[in-house]
Amino acid sequence: MKLHGAVFGTTYSIIYDSEVDFSMQLDSLFARINNSLSNYQDNSIISKINRGEAIETDAHFDKVFKTSKEIFYNTEGAFDPTIGAVVNAWNFGSEHKIISVDSLIIDSLMQSVGFDKIFKINSKITKPKDAFIDFNAIAKGYGVDVVGEFLQSKQIKNYLVEIGGEVRVQGKNAEKNTPWRIGVENPNFNGEQSILKAVKLRNKVMATSGTYRKFKIDDNGNRYAHIIDTETGYPSKTNLLSVSVIADECMVADAYATAFQAMGIEKVKIFLKDHPELKVFLIFENENREFETLAINNFPE
C-alpha cells in the first residue's frame, strides 16, 4: 500500500506491506497531533498555551515537551522551542536578501526566549507571559514516530514513513525484497534536486536539516542560515549546508539535526564523542567554497 498526502505544512509518503488501507485512521492521527502541536490552529493546545489560557496538555504534547527539554539541556540551548517568534521576525522566505531588522525588536523578543523558563506542573504549562512555544523543529519527526508505532500495532513488519523528508523504516522494501534506501540530497542553491548518496536503513530513522533552501545574504556576500542563534537572536553565519542524523526515534533525530546546524561543525564533533547513538552526516563548504562531507559515528556508506 502506498499513501501520499499533505500534512503539517508539507507532504507525506507512507509505504507498507499490507493491502489494508489505513488512510482514515492516519488522518485521525494527524488531526490529533495538529490539535495538540500546531501553531497554525487557533484552538490547538499549544496555541492556547501561547495565549496564556489555562488548559491541560495531552499525551502528544507531553512526549514532545519532555524530549524537547532533554535535548535543550543536552545541547546547552542550541535546540530551543521558544526561538520561533524570533525566527518569524527575520521572515525567512523566498526573498534571500537580508532586510534590516530593528535590534530593539530582536532584543525585546529575546527576553522571552529560553525553554528553561517553561515548566510543566501536573498537566499544565507555566511560562513567561510573552513566551512563544513552537515545536516545528521536532513535530514532523514526532509525527513519523506516531505513524510508525501505529503500523507496528497492526503487525506490519515492513514499512517506510516519510513526512517532509524525515524518515522511519522497519524491515525491508517488500516490493523489491531489498533494504530500504534513503537519499541524502545534494545541496543546490538553485532549487534543483539531486541525490548525493543513498543510505541503507534498517529499523532506524533519519532526519535532515538543510540551510540551502532558506538563507539570506548580506551586502558582503556572507550567507546566513535560517537557523537562529539562540544566544543572540540573529541568524547563524554558517558553512554547514546539510545535517543528516540517524537515531532510534525520529523526533530525536529531527531536533538534533536542527541543533547541530546552530552548533557548527567543531562543536558537533565534540558533542558526538559522548553520543555514539547518533550517526551523523555533514555536508559543508570549505574555504574554497567547494563541497565537503564528513561522516561521524559510523554513519552508513
Side-chain angles (χ1 to χ4, degrees):
M1 184 67 68
K2 298 180 181 180
L3 305 176
H4 306 275
V7 71
F8 308 152
T10 184
T11 59
Y12 71 82
S13 177
I14 302 169
I15 305 169
Y16 57 91
D17 189 10
S18 170
E19 294 180 2
V20 181
D21 187 344
F22 292 117
S23 295
M24 290 182 64
Q25 292 97 321
L26 292 173
D27 285 345
S28 179
L29 275 178
F30 290 146
R32 289 203 293 274
I33 295 170
N34 269 326
N35 189 57
S36 179
L37 303 174
S38 174
N39 292 98
Y40 298 99
Q41 292 192 4
D42 286 341
N43 290 320
S44 68
I45 290 172
I46 197 169
S47 292
K48 290 178 178 179
I49 289 170
N50 282 333
R51 289 197 297 267
E53 297 180 23
I55 182 173
E56 292 192 355
T57 59
D58 66 356
H60 295 300
F61 190 99
D62 292 347
K63 283 184 183 178
V64 172
F65 183 88
K66 181 175 182 290
T67 301
S68 295
K69 272 282 186 183
E70 291 170 357
I71 296 174
F72 169 80
Y73 284 114
N74 284 350
T75 61
E76 298 180 347
F79 176 77
D80 190 334
T82 62
I83 198 69
V86 182
V87 175
N88 292 340
W90 281 100
N91 188 30
F92 275 95
S94 58
E95 178 55 61
H96 292 320
K97 178 73 174 171
I98 279 190
I99 300 170
S100 178
V101 174
D102 189 333
S103 62
L104 292 176
I105 293 174
I106 299 301
D107 291 345
S108 174
L109 290 171
M110 285 297 292
Q111 296 302 310
S112 58
V113 169
F115 205 50
D116 52 342
K117 301 171 186 173
I118 314 292
F119 301 96
K120 182 171 175 288
I121 301 173
N122 297 323
S123 57
K124 293 184 179 177
I125 300 295
T126 63
K127 68 176 187 65
K129 179 176 178 291
D130 295 328
F132 180 82
I133 307 171
D134 184 345
F135 287 133
N136 185 51
I138 191 172
K140 282 188 300 181
Y142 176 69
V144 169
D145 287 330
V146 170
V147 174
E149 288 161 10
F150 168 80
L151 292 175
Q152 284 175 226
S153 76
K154 301 299 182 183
Q155 281 71 56
I156 292 175
K157 295 182 172 61
N158 303 304
Y159 66 75
L160 178 148
V161 179
E162 180 266 329
I163 301 178
E166 322 304 14
V167 180
R168 172 170 167 156
V169 301
Q170 191 76 18
K172 63 183 179 180
N173 183 335
E175 186 178 31
K176 298 179 180 178
N177 198 32
T178 59
W180 292 108
R181 292 169 64 85
I182 311 302
V184 175
E185 200 169 87
N186 210 4
N188 288 316
F189 296 104
N190 58 11
E192 292 181 4
Q193 288 185 304
S194 60
I195 299 301
L196 178 67
K197 69 180 294 179
V199 180
K200 289 182 182 178
L201 275 191
R202 183 176 178 84
N203 304 344
K204 288 286 185 180
V205 309
M206 188 171 82
T208 299
S209 176
T211 61
Y212 50 93
R213 289 203 185 114
K214 293 182 180 178
F215 60 91
K216 290 185 182 293
I217 299 173
D218 67 14
D219 292 335
N220 297 317
N222 295 312
R223 187 169 57 250
Y224 290 81
H226 70 283
I227 307 294
I228 301 297
D229 187 321
T230 54
E231 292 184 7
T232 67
Y234 283 77
S236 305
K237 183 182 176 183
T238 183
N239 65 334
L240 193 50
L241 305 178
S242 175
V243 179
S244 295
V245 178
I246 292 175
D248 291 324
E249 289 183 288
C250 201
M251 67 171 165
V252 169
D254 198 2
Y256 274 118
T258 300
F260 292 162
Q261 286 280 7
M263 290 165 66
I265 296 172
E266 294 309 314
K267 284 186 178 179
V268 169
K269 285 172 17 181
I270 294 168
F271 180 88
L272 289 173
K273 288 179 181 178
D274 295 324
H275 291 274
E277 76 279 8
L278 301 174
K279 303 179 190 301
V280 175
F281 184 72
L282 308 177
I283 306 174
F284 59 96
E285 276 188 334
N286 62 23
E287 293 176 353
N288 299 320
R289 297 228 158 170
E290 299 165 331
F291 285 3
E292 286 192 27
T293 64
L294 178 65
I296 306 174
N297 288 348
N298 297 315
F299 190 94
E301 290 298 322

